[in-house]
Amino acid sequence: MPASRFTQTGNYRVRYQQDQTIFATYAEQLSLVVLLLALLLLPLLISKTLLRDVNMIMIYAVAVIGLNVTTGYTGLINIGQAAFMAVGAYATALAATKLNLPFFLAIPLGGLAGAVVGTFVGLPSLRLKYLYLAVATLAFQIIFEWTVGHSPLLAQGGAIILPPVEVFGIKATFLNHNKVWYYIILPVLVVMGLLWRNILRSKHGRSFIAVRDNDRAAAAMGINPGVTKLTAFLVGSFFAGIAGGLFAYFQKAVVIEDYGLHTSVQLLAMAIVGGLGSVPGSFLGPLFIVALDRGMGGLSNFMSERQIFPPGVDAATALRPLAFGLSIMLFLIYEPRGLANWWRLSRMYFKKWPYKF
Amino acid sequence: MPQLHVDNVTLSFGGLNALSTVSLTVPEGEVVSIIGPNGAGKTSLLNCISGFYHPTRGRITFGEHDLSKAAPNVVTRYGIARAFQNLELFRGMTVVENLLLARHTHLNYNLLDSILYYGKASRVEAENRHYVEQIIDFMELEEYRHHHVGTLAYGVQKRVEVARALTLQPKLLLLDEPMAGMNVEEKEDMVRFILDIQRERGVTVVLIEHDLGVVMDISDRVYVLDFGQLIAGGTPEDVSADPRVIEAYTGVAEHEPLPQASPSPAQAVAR
Ligand SMILES: Nc1ncnc2c1ncn2[C@@H]1O[C@H](COP(=O)(O)OP(=O)(O)OP(=O)(O)O)[C@@H](O)[C@H]1O
Ligand SMILES: [Mg+2]
């Protein structure tokens, strides 16, 4: 047993199973508990609009973990993650409205639908690589939007309204919608994050990274690159499907515009800014991009108050894409490992604190 | 008994024949070396055996398995492992992680077990780690266990490459110049590892090597390739006396015989 389980003073693991643990020291476990407590109390402390943003960030985080599975960990460029979200959203909406399933069944069903469709769309990855695969996923994004637009069953892309949910006797209403959904989305996100951490330390997670880093060597290890890529699509689009199901309920309706190409690009941006192939990055990326978006909104309000622009001109519509594109470029150039790298460096600093090295 | 048979294999790249009608046999439990000048087709032959290339004509079998059209990952499952000439390690991963990857086909759990990582997956992974540690002991890689492979010296990386192939628990191990670029001491170690792999673990070894001293010392059988053609094959003594081999190596016929088992690293070990 370790000499001290409070902080890490060295490696005291004597069994291989201990080497597999995720949160090893008491300090790590304690900080996790503190974090969870803070998260549980958060809705009581912040405004309704901010809570709405937090909910969005968490839903995007689920989708970005999934995008990291395919693009970050397995190296398969995927410009269709929003369409996989849409598959989940529509499946959830149909399950809720046509089959009258409760949300805790409808959302997992959305995840499964995403997984099935995603695996199918991943088939070209058996033959195509790099940009060619990106084009294949882009094609799916466009075909899917077009198909929804022509399907009467899916309201031709118009709104499919979802019924309000009831959890433990509490009905979600206009007033408490954001709070209720916060307490649904948060545990879903935590569970999904843990599931991904589990996959990552298993043979499946290792094979994803192996195929990304060197598919020749991976094949020489007996890993079937094709099966591995399809598995990555399966897992990645399962996450997208779950995120889509959550988003459908959270927005109270499914509209195809929410899942367009711009959303796919936005998800990619979140993954890149957060740090491709990193778990903390999947949280930091959505946080950054949503904060940037709100920041630009605020800046534009400030500028129109000071009458820097003529009245009636909404500077935000110009500032948003500008800041968005600029931040992707700057990250790609100066910090390709994303915010997750800053996160890692600051953690290392605190692990050694108060010693310098 | 799984024996490797290469039967009349031709491999063409456009007009060039990297291999022309090569036939050879690797009996179980032996160390069989393939020698030949640069560009003779040695690596191409290994590529055909391990499924990275498919012969243009001819057949390769291992026991009852036909390898001629098999994919690399399938060949690996038949019990054939390979260490690459140009290191093909996962450079961003540690030594342990590289070896854990090589256990992929031996781990019997599915995606659901992975997701839950409780009970079965956790237990299998602990056993997996245990096996990997045995190989680390065997190949004397303890001190590098948690080092990232890209940061290790070339000679050590070569050793990791062999260790990783061994972790696959193969029946047949293909080693493509495992001693290239090593100093004498490292070579001695590698020779010792190869002999231990054959004797203690009962693994058949196919070795490609330029150091003829080592080759003649440790091989049960030697095949010689030149310009894609098999020009000789037999015991080390026969081969080193063969005039065609001497010609291929020296460019002149009727020259001094090639070095027989002379002072070389292997001698100390083989005793
Ligand atoms: N993918 C390929 N495409 C075209 N030609 C190839 C290919 N692979 C090998 N060759 C050619 O086949 C011939 C044999 O190459 P090979 O790598 O098998 O030689 P080798 O005996 O391993 O040499 P070395 O001792 O330098 O490793 C060379 O002329 C090489 O250029
Ligand atoms: Mg070669």
Side-chain angles (χ1 to χ4, degrees), chain B residues 13 16 18 38-44 53 85 177 210:
Chain B
F13 294 109
L16 175 97
N38 289 108
K42 306 180 295 294
T43 301
S44 301
Y53 296 160
Q85 177 175 1
E177 303 194 18
H210 282 297

Side-chain angles (χ1 to χ4, degrees), chain A residues 2 9 38 62 76 98 109 125 129 140 143 179 212 216 224-225 229 235 237 245 251 281 290 325:
Chain A
T9 52
V62 174
L76 308 164
K98 297 275 193 288
L109 212 64
S125 68
K129 275 186 177 177
F140 172 69
I143 292 168
K179 275 205 185 90
R212 176 194 69 189
R216 271 169 62 83
N224 184 329
K229 289 173 185 174
V235 174
S237 45
Q251 296 286 61
V290 170

Side-chain angles (χ1 to χ4, degrees), chain B residues 33-218:
Chain B
S33 290
I34 299 172
I35 60 172
N38 289 108
K42 306 180 295 294
T43 301
S44 301
L45 180 61
L46 282 208
N47 276 330
C48 286
I49 297 170
S50 52
F52 285 97
Y53 296 160
H54 300 306
T56 318
R57 277 187 300 283
R59 225 166 94 91
I60 303 176
T61 54
F62 181 62
E64 76 270 25
H65 301 296
D66 186 353
L67 308 181
S68 323
K69 295 273 176 302
N73 54 300
V74 176
V75 173
T76 303
R77 278 167 196 261
Y78 293 157
I80 301 181
R82 164 171 186 191
F84 291 88
Q85 177 175 1
N86 305 314
L87 299 165
E88 299 260 9
L89 292 164
F90 302 100
R91 297 175 56 83
M93 300 185 195
T94 63
V95 173
V96 165
E97 285 166 345
N98 266 276
L99 301 197
L100 284 174
L101 259 168
R103 302 289 301 156
H104 190 84
T105 53
H106 295 278
L107 306 179
N108 247 322
Y109 61 84
N110 58 32
L111 188 59
L112 265 175
D113 295 321
S114 285
I115 289 174
L116 302 175
Y117 208 86
Y118 186 78
K120 190 165 182 191
S122 172
R123 196 185 64 242
V124 171
E125 282 298 335
E127 291 165 10
N128 181 23
R129 179 68 190 275
H130 185 71
Y131 188 88
V132 163
E133 289 294 335
Q134 287 178 345
I135 301 283
I136 288 181
D137 277 356
F138 180 78
M139 295 294 293
E140 295 165 16
L141 286 165
E142 296 91 341
E143 55 182 308
Y144 309 111
R145 195 184 271 122
H146 289 300
H147 288 225
H148 285 266
V149 167
T151 64
L152 297 174
Y154 184 76
V156 182
Q157 292 196 28
K158 278 275 184 192
R159 194 139 39 104
V160 176
E161 178 88 38
V162 174
R164 191 181 62 174
L166 193 60
T167 313
L168 288 161
Q169 268 179 289
K171 302 190 189 91
L172 172 66
L173 184 59
L174 311 173
L175 302 175
D176 198 345
E177 303 194 18
M179 288 166 246
M182 284 188 167
N183 61 32
V184 178
E185 200 181 325
E186 287 174 325
K187 270 193 190 180
E188 278 176 19
D189 285 340
M190 188 53 84
V191 166
R192 187 162 48 84
F193 291 135
I194 293 173
L195 289 175
D196 283 350
I197 289 168
Q198 180 213 12
R199 290 174 192 167
E200 287 177 19
R201 303 194 164 236
V203 177
T204 312
V205 177
V206 171
L207 174 70
I208 295 181
E209 182 48 53
H210 282 297
D211 186 331
L212 292 183
V214 170
V215 167
M216 297 304 169
D217 260 358
I218 67 173

